[in-house]
C-alpha cells in the first residue's frame, strides 16, 4: 500500500501521514491516533521499511515511555492530563534523547505505553522495520519478556529506570540514576541536622527508582541505629496528589516525625500544600528533602533541598551508546549509574 492510498482511506493528506510517522509536534493527538490505528489495521509499511529491506539504515530510533497501570484503565486515557508535558522526569529525558539523536544524525519516534495492549503498537514499529533500535524508559517486571524477545531478535535496546538484574543474561544497555546513593545522601543530611524521627513518601513501588530510593532510605536509617515507624511510611505514586495525601496520612500519626524524605519533587509540591493547610511551616515545624532537583524546586517557598539527578545526562548517554551499537552493528552489554548530588536549600533545619 502507498501512502497516497492510506491517506484516501482515512481522509487525511499524504503529508499528514508523513508528519505523524516522523513525530512532528503540530499534529493533533486525535489525528495522530487515527493515523497509527490505520497503519496497524492496514499493515502499512512506510518507505523506511522498503529502505531497510534493501539494506539501508533508517537513521531512526524510538523512545518508548512506559507508565503501565495493570489494575485499572490509565487515568490519562480518560482525562485531559498529560504524561509528558512539564513532567520533571519524562520531559527532560525525551528532550535530551531527541537533541542527542539529532546531533548524531538520527530521528526519534516517541511512543507512550499506558497498558499491555499498547505494547502491540510498539511491536508494530519494530516489525515494520521503521527503527534501528529503541530506548525504553520505566519498564516493570511484566514488560521484561517483551523487551528480551526484541533483544533476541537482534534489535538494539537501551533501558532507563529499569533493573539491571538480568544484564548478564543478554546484551543490552542499562543507564540508571544512583537512586540508592541519592536517598542515602538525603537521609544522612537529615541525620547530620539532628533528626532521628524521619518519615518517607515513596513513589510507585513497581518502579525501580522508587524501590531503590526506599531501600537506601531504610538501610541508611538502620546503619545509623534509627528505627522507622510504619505510621511514617506512605506509598505514593510520584504525583502531586499522592504527596498531599502522604502528608495527611503521616501527620495523623500520634508521634509526628521531625523530617520527611519525599521520593520526588512533584510529590513535594503536594506535600507543601498539605503542610500549609495544616497550619504548619517548613522548616520550622517539619523539614523536607525531595528528589530529582526539578525545575520547580528552587522556586518553592521555602526553596526545596533535594537530590540532583541529571536526567538529561542519563538520556544523552543512553542515546549515544544505543546509536554506537547500531552503527557498529553489535549490541553492547553496558550497565552504568549516574551519580546523585545533594542540593542544600532552605527546607531543612537543625534541631
Amino acid at each position: 500500500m502507498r501512502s497516497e492510498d492510506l491517506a484516501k482511506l482515512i481522509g487525511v493528506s499524504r503529508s499528514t501521514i508523513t508528519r505523524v510517522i516522523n513525530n512532528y509536534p503540530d499534529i493533533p493527538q486525535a489525528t495522530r491516533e487515527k493515523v497509527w490505528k490505520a497503519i496497524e489495521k492496514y499493515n502499512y509499511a512506510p518507505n523506511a521499511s522498503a529502505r531497510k529491506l534493501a539494506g539501508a539504515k533508517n537513521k531512526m530510533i524510538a523512545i518508548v515511555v512506559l507508565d503501565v497501570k495493570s489494575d485499572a484503565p490509565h487515568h490519562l486515557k480518560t482525562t485531559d492530563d498529560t504524561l509528558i508535558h512539564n513532567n520533571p522526569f519524562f520531559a527532560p529525558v525525551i528532550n535530551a534523547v531527541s537533541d542527542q539523536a539529532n546531533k548524531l544524525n538520527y530521528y526519534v519516534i516517541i511512543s507512550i505505553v499506558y497498558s499491555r495492549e499498547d505494547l502491540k503498537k510498539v511491536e508494530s514499529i519494530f516489525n515494520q522495520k521503521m527503527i534501528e533500535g529503541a530506548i525504553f524508559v520505566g519498564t516493570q517486571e511484566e514488560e521484561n519478556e517483551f523487551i528480551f524477545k526484541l533483544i533476541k531478535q537482534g534489535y538494539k535496546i537501551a533501558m532507563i529506570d529499569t533493573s539491571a538484574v538480568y544484564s548478564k543474561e543478554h546484551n543490552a544497555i542499562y543507564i540508571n540514576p544512583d537512586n540508592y546513593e541519592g536517598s542515602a545522601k538525603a537521609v544522612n543530611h537529615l541525620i547530620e541536622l539532628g533528626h532521628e524521627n524521619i518519615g518517607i513518601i515513596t513513589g510507585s513501588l513497581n518502579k525501580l527508582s522508587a524501590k531503590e530510593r526506599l531501600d537506601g532510605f531504610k538501610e541508611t536509617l538502620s546503619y545509623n541505629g534509627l528505627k522507622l515507624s510504619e505510621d511514617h511510611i506512605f506509598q505514593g505514586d510520584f504525583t502531586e496528589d499522592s504527596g498531599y495525601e502522604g502528608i495527611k496520612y503521616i501527620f495523623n500519626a500520634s508521634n509526628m516525625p521531625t523530617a520527611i524524605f519525599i521520593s520526588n519533587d512533584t510529590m513535594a509540591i503536594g506535600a507543601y500544600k498539605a503542610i500549609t493547610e495544616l497550619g504548619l511551616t517548613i522548616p520550622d515545624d517539619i523539614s523536607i528533602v525531595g528528589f530529582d532537583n526539578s525545575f520547580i524546586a528552587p522556586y518553592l517557598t521555602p526553596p526545596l533541598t533535594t537530590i540532583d539527578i541529571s536526567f538529561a545526562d542519563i538520556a544523552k548517554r543512553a542515546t549515544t551508546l544505543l546509536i554506537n551499537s547500531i552503527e557498529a552493528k553489535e549490541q553492547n552489554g553496558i550497565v552504568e549509574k549516574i551519580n546523585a548530588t545533594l542540593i542544600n536549600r532552605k527546607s531543612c533545619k537543625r534541631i
Side-chain angles (χ1 to χ4, degrees):
M1 177 181 286
R2 300 176 305 164
S3 59
E4 295 94 332
D5 300 325
L6 184 67
K8 289 178 181 178
L9 280 169
I10 60 177
V12 300
S13 67
R14 179 185 175 188
S15 64
T16 295
I17 291 176
T18 301
R19 295 177 77 82
V20 168
I21 291 171
N22 289 303
N23 203 43
Y24 279 77
D26 58 341
I27 303 298
Q29 185 61 29
T31 302
R32 193 180 301 274
E33 291 177 359
K34 178 181 180 181
V35 170
W36 279 116
K37 285 179 181 177
I39 286 172
E40 183 174 353
K41 178 179 179 181
Y42 297 105
N43 198 27
Y44 169 67
N47 287 339
S49 180
R51 293 198 306 271
K52 179 69 176 177
L53 292 172
K57 280 190 170 65
N58 291 335
K59 292 287 188 177
M60 187 173 293
I61 62 173
I63 179 166
V64 183
V65 177
L66 295 104
D67 193 46
V68 174
K69 307 293 185 185
S70 56
D71 53 345
H74 201 294
H75 72 282
L76 293 180
K77 287 279 194 176
T78 56
T79 69
D80 291 331
D81 294 340
T82 61
L83 182 66
I84 305 301
H85 181 63
N86 284 340
N87 184 289
F89 174 56
F90 291 128
V93 166
I94 289 173
N95 289 337
V97 168
S98 299
D99 286 345
Q100 187 67 5
N102 183 62
K103 290 177 183 178
L104 298 172
N105 298 315
Y106 273 71
Y107 298 97
V108 178
I109 291 176
I110 301 170
S111 181
I112 303 174
V113 175
Y114 295 122
S115 67
R116 305 276 182 269
E117 192 68 20
D118 287 344
L119 288 173
K120 292 180 180 178
K121 177 176 65 175
V122 178
E123 188 172 25
S124 175
I125 296 172
F126 280 98
N127 290 341
Q128 293 181 40
K129 311 297 182 184
M130 294 172 61
I131 57 175
E132 303 282 346
I135 299 171
F136 287 85
V137 183
T139 66
Q140 302 174 33
E141 188 72 25
E142 292 81 0
E143 289 96 50
N144 283 343
E145 184 178 347
F146 170 78
I147 295 173
F148 297 162
K149 183 175 74 171
L150 294 175
I151 294 171
K152 289 178 181 178
Q153 291 172 351
Y155 292 110
K156 310 300 184 288
I157 302 295
M159 288 174 272
I160 296 173
D161 193 25
T162 299
S163 175
V165 68
Y166 299 106
S167 60
K168 294 181 180 179
E169 298 179 13
H170 56 252
N171 285 338
I173 298 163
Y174 293 84
I175 310 294
N176 289 312
D178 198 334
N179 296 294
Y180 184 99
E181 176 197 35
S183 62
K185 287 180 177 180
V187 177
N188 279 322
H189 176 66
L190 292 171
I191 292 172
E192 288 167 4
L193 292 175
H195 296 275
E196 296 183 353
N197 192 358
I198 305 170
I200 182 172
I201 299 176
T202 77
S204 305
L205 292 177
N206 56 1
K207 296 289 187 182
L208 174 71
S209 53
K211 291 178 185 176
E212 291 185 337
R213 292 172 195 182
L214 178 59
D215 289 343
F217 174 83
K218 286 183 172 180
E219 292 178 25
T220 304
L221 286 182
S222 178
Y223 179 81
N224 286 276
L226 301 178
K227 293 183 178 180
L228 174 61
S229 169
E230 290 299 320
D231 291 339
H232 295 164
I233 305 174
F234 181 84
Q235 183 176 335
D237 60 6
F238 289 129
T239 65
E240 185 177 330
D241 286 345
S242 68
Y244 178 92
E245 295 299 329
I247 290 296
K248 293 297 181 76
Y249 173 84
I250 291 173
F251 279 32
N252 196 41
S254 56
N255 180 25
M256 199 174 78
T258 61
I260 299 177
F261 169 54
I262 302 178
S263 293
N264 81 340
D265 292 353
T266 300
M267 291 192 295
I269 295 171
Y272 268 53
K273 180 179 179 182
I275 290 166
T276 299
E277 287 183 3
L278 290 169
L280 303 174
T281 60
I282 304 168
D284 292 338
D285 298 307
I286 186 78
S287 291
I288 300 291
V289 179
F291 203 112
D292 289 346
N293 194 28
S294 69
F295 63 90
I296 196 66
Y299 302 107
L300 294 175
T301 305
L304 178 65
T305 294
T306 185
I307 299 298
D308 181 51
I309 293 288
S310 178
F311 295 126
D313 286 348
I314 291 170
K316 287 177 183 177
R317 183 64 175 157
T319 305
T320 300
L321 292 173
L322 176 65
I323 292 175
N324 286 348
S325 291
I326 292 169
E327 294 292 322
K329 298 182 179 179
E330 180 181 1
Q331 174 72 67
N332 297 313
I334 298 172
V335 178
E336 292 184 2
K337 284 186 180 290
I338 304 298
N339 291 335
T341 305
L342 177 75
I343 305 297
N344 190 6
R345 295 194 178 102
K346 303 291 185 181
S347 61
C348 300
K349 80 166 187 176
R350 186 176 298 278
I351 62 172

